[in-house]
Short mmCIF file of all heavy atoms in Angstrom, two decimals:
data_model
loop_
_atom_site.label_atom_id
_atom_site.label_comp_id
_atom_site.label_asym_id
_atom_site.label_seq_id
_atom_site.Cartn_x
_atom_site.Cartn_y
_atom_site.Cartn_z
N MET W 1 0.82 -1.20 0.00
CA MET W 1 0.00 0.00 0.00
C MET W 1 0.86 1.26 0.00
O MET W 1 0.57 2.24 -0.70
CB MET W 1 -0.93 0.00 1.21
CG MET W 1 -2.02 -1.06 1.14
SD MET W 1 -3.08 -1.09 2.62
CE MET W 1 -3.83 0.53 2.50
N LEU W 2 1.95 1.24 0.78
CA LEU W 2 2.86 2.40 0.78
C LEU W 2 3.47 2.63 -0.59
O LEU W 2 3.62 3.76 -1.04
CB LEU W 2 3.96 2.18 1.83
CG LEU W 2 3.54 2.26 3.30
CD1 LEU W 2 4.69 1.87 4.20
CD2 LEU W 2 3.06 3.68 3.64
N SER W 3 3.81 1.53 -1.25
CA SER W 3 4.42 1.65 -2.56
C SER W 3 3.42 2.10 -3.61
O SER W 3 3.73 2.95 -4.46
CB SER W 3 5.05 0.31 -2.96
OG SER W 3 5.60 0.37 -4.24
N GLN W 4 2.20 1.54 -3.57
CA GLN W 4 1.20 1.89 -4.57
C GLN W 4 0.75 3.34 -4.47
O GLN W 4 0.52 4.01 -5.48
CB GLN W 4 0.00 0.95 -4.43
CG GLN W 4 0.27 -0.50 -4.83
CD GLN W 4 -0.89 -1.41 -4.53
OE1 GLN W 4 -1.93 -0.96 -4.01
NE2 GLN W 4 -0.74 -2.69 -4.85
N LYS W 5 0.62 3.85 -3.25
CA LYS W 5 0.13 5.22 -3.06
C LYS W 5 1.26 6.26 -3.06
O LYS W 5 0.99 7.45 -2.93
CB LYS W 5 -0.65 5.31 -1.74
CG LYS W 5 -1.92 4.47 -1.76
CD LYS W 5 -2.72 4.63 -0.49
CE LYS W 5 -4.02 3.82 -0.55
NZ LYS W 5 -4.84 4.00 0.66
N GLY W 6 2.46 5.77 -3.20
CA GLY W 6 3.60 6.69 -3.26
C GLY W 6 3.82 7.49 -2.00
O GLY W 6 4.28 8.63 -2.05
N VAL W 7 3.49 6.92 -0.88
CA VAL W 7 3.67 7.63 0.40
C VAL W 7 5.14 7.84 0.68
O VAL W 7 5.58 8.91 1.12
CB VAL W 7 3.00 6.85 1.54
CG1 VAL W 7 3.24 7.54 2.88
CG2 VAL W 7 1.50 6.73 1.29
N VAL W 8 5.95 6.82 0.44
CA VAL W 8 7.38 6.91 0.71
C VAL W 8 8.10 5.93 -0.20
O VAL W 8 7.58 4.87 -0.54
CB VAL W 8 7.68 6.59 2.20
CG1 VAL W 8 7.26 5.18 2.55
CG2 VAL W 8 9.14 6.83 2.53
N GLU W 9 9.28 6.31 -0.62
CA GLU W 9 10.12 5.43 -1.43
C GLU W 9 11.13 4.75 -0.50
O GLU W 9 11.86 5.43 0.23
CB GLU W 9 10.85 6.22 -2.51
CG GLU W 9 9.92 6.82 -3.57
CD GLU W 9 9.26 5.74 -4.41
OE1 GLU W 9 9.84 4.63 -4.53
OE2 GLU W 9 8.15 5.99 -4.93
N LEU W 10 11.13 3.45 -0.50
CA LEU W 10 12.00 2.70 0.40
C LEU W 10 13.02 1.91 -0.39
O LEU W 10 12.67 1.19 -1.34
CB LEU W 10 11.16 1.72 1.25
CG LEU W 10 10.08 2.35 2.16
CD1 LEU W 10 9.25 1.26 2.81
CD2 LEU W 10 10.71 3.24 3.21
N ASP W 11 14.30 2.08 0.01
CA ASP W 11 15.31 1.21 -0.57
C ASP W 11 15.35 -0.09 0.24
O ASP W 11 14.59 -0.28 1.18
CB ASP W 11 16.67 1.90 -0.58
CG ASP W 11 17.12 2.34 0.82
OD1 ASP W 11 16.54 1.82 1.81
OD2 ASP W 11 18.02 3.19 0.93
N ASP W 12 16.23 -0.99 -0.13
CA ASP W 12 16.26 -2.30 0.52
C ASP W 12 16.54 -2.21 2.01
O ASP W 12 15.94 -2.93 2.81
CB ASP W 12 17.31 -3.19 -0.14
CG ASP W 12 16.91 -3.58 -1.56
OD1 ASP W 12 15.70 -3.48 -1.87
OD2 ASP W 12 17.80 -3.98 -2.34
N GLU W 13 17.43 -1.29 2.40
CA GLU W 13 17.79 -1.18 3.81
C GLU W 13 16.64 -0.63 4.64
O GLU W 13 16.34 -1.13 5.72
CB GLU W 13 19.04 -0.31 3.97
CG GLU W 13 19.60 -0.32 5.39
CD GLU W 13 20.93 0.40 5.48
OE1 GLU W 13 21.47 0.80 4.43
OE2 GLU W 13 21.43 0.56 6.61
N ARG W 14 15.99 0.44 4.11
CA ARG W 14 14.84 1.01 4.83
C ARG W 14 13.67 0.01 4.87
O ARG W 14 12.94 -0.07 5.85
CB ARG W 14 14.42 2.31 4.16
CG ARG W 14 15.38 3.48 4.41
CD ARG W 14 14.79 4.76 3.86
NE ARG W 14 15.60 5.91 4.22
CZ ARG W 14 16.62 6.37 3.51
NH1 ARG W 14 16.98 5.73 2.39
NH2 ARG W 14 17.30 7.44 3.90
N ARG W 15 13.49 -0.72 3.78
CA ARG W 15 12.44 -1.72 3.75
C ARG W 15 12.68 -2.80 4.82
O ARG W 15 11.76 -3.22 5.53
CB ARG W 15 12.36 -2.36 2.37
CG ARG W 15 11.21 -3.37 2.20
CD ARG W 15 11.27 -3.98 0.81
NE ARG W 15 11.02 -2.98 -0.20
CZ ARG W 15 9.80 -2.68 -0.66
NH1 ARG W 15 8.76 -3.33 -0.21
NH2 ARG W 15 9.65 -1.75 -1.58
N ALA W 16 13.94 -3.24 4.93
CA ALA W 16 14.28 -4.24 5.93
C ALA W 16 14.05 -3.72 7.34
O ALA W 16 13.56 -4.43 8.23
CB ALA W 16 15.73 -4.69 5.75
N ALA W 17 14.40 -2.45 7.56
CA ALA W 17 14.20 -1.86 8.88
C ALA W 17 12.72 -1.76 9.23
O ALA W 17 12.29 -2.04 10.35
CB ALA W 17 14.85 -0.49 8.94
N MET W 18 11.90 -1.38 8.23
CA MET W 18 10.47 -1.27 8.49
C MET W 18 9.86 -2.64 8.76
O MET W 18 9.02 -2.80 9.67
CB MET W 18 9.77 -0.61 7.30
CG MET W 18 8.25 -0.51 7.46
SD MET W 18 7.47 0.47 6.20
CE MET W 18 7.98 2.12 6.72
N VAL W 19 10.28 -3.63 7.97
CA VAL W 19 9.77 -4.98 8.20
C VAL W 19 10.12 -5.45 9.60
O VAL W 19 9.30 -6.02 10.32
CB VAL W 19 10.33 -5.95 7.14
CG1 VAL W 19 10.03 -7.40 7.54
CG2 VAL W 19 9.75 -5.64 5.77
N SER W 20 11.36 -5.21 10.04
CA SER W 20 11.79 -5.62 11.37
C SER W 20 10.95 -4.95 12.45
O SER W 20 10.50 -5.59 13.39
CB SER W 20 13.27 -5.29 11.55
OG SER W 20 13.69 -5.60 12.87
N ASN W 21 10.74 -3.64 12.29
CA ASN W 21 9.97 -2.89 13.30
C ASN W 21 8.51 -3.37 13.35
O ASN W 21 7.94 -3.55 14.43
CB ASN W 21 10.01 -1.39 13.00
CG ASN W 21 11.40 -0.80 13.20
OD1 ASN W 21 12.21 -1.35 13.96
ND2 ASN W 21 11.70 0.29 12.51
N LEU W 22 7.91 -3.58 12.18
CA LEU W 22 6.52 -4.03 12.15
C LEU W 22 6.37 -5.43 12.75
O LEU W 22 5.40 -5.70 13.45
CB LEU W 22 5.99 -4.01 10.71
CG LEU W 22 5.72 -2.63 10.11
CD1 LEU W 22 5.33 -2.76 8.64
CD2 LEU W 22 4.62 -1.91 10.89
N MET W 23 7.32 -6.33 12.47
CA MET W 23 7.25 -7.67 13.03
C MET W 23 7.37 -7.65 14.55
O MET W 23 6.71 -8.41 15.25
CB MET W 23 8.33 -8.55 12.42
CG MET W 23 8.13 -8.87 10.95
SD MET W 23 6.62 -9.81 10.63
CE MET W 23 7.03 -11.36 11.41
N VAL W 24 8.24 -6.76 15.06
CA VAL W 24 8.38 -6.64 16.51
C VAL W 24 7.08 -6.15 17.13
O VAL W 24 6.61 -6.65 18.16
CB VAL W 24 9.54 -5.70 16.86
CG1 VAL W 24 9.53 -5.38 18.36
CG2 VAL W 24 10.87 -6.32 16.47
N VAL W 25 6.44 -5.16 16.49
CA VAL W 25 5.20 -4.60 17.02
C VAL W 25 4.08 -5.65 16.98
O VAL W 25 3.32 -5.82 17.94
CB VAL W 25 4.80 -3.35 16.22
CG1 VAL W 25 3.39 -2.90 16.61
CG2 VAL W 25 5.80 -2.24 16.45
N LEU W 26 3.99 -6.38 15.87
CA LEU W 26 2.87 -7.30 15.70
C LEU W 26 3.04 -8.60 16.48
O LEU W 26 2.06 -9.21 16.90
CB LEU W 26 2.68 -7.61 14.21
CG LEU W 26 2.25 -6.43 13.34
CD1 LEU W 26 2.27 -6.82 11.87
CD2 LEU W 26 0.86 -5.95 13.74
N CYS W 27 4.27 -9.06 16.65
CA CYS W 27 4.51 -10.35 17.29
C CYS W 27 4.89 -10.24 18.76
O CYS W 27 4.97 -11.26 19.45
CB CYS W 27 5.61 -11.12 16.54
SG CYS W 27 5.16 -11.54 14.84
#
């Protein structure tokens, strides 16, 4: 959704950091 709506452009490192943060929050 972030990518489709153009909210923010994420490179691989930022994407990995966001995934890590979201997994910590959700799990």
Side-chain angles (χ1 to χ4, degrees):
M1 291 178 64
L2 289 173
S3 177
Q4 290 174 0
K5 295 183 178 182
V7 177
V8 62
E9 294 293 334
L10 300 174
D11 57 18
D12 291 340
E13 188 173 354
R14 287 187 173 89
R15 184 183 294 270
M18 178 171 287
V19 169
S20 176
N21 292 336
L22 287 175
M23 291 297 292
V24 170
V25 171
L26 295 173
C27 296

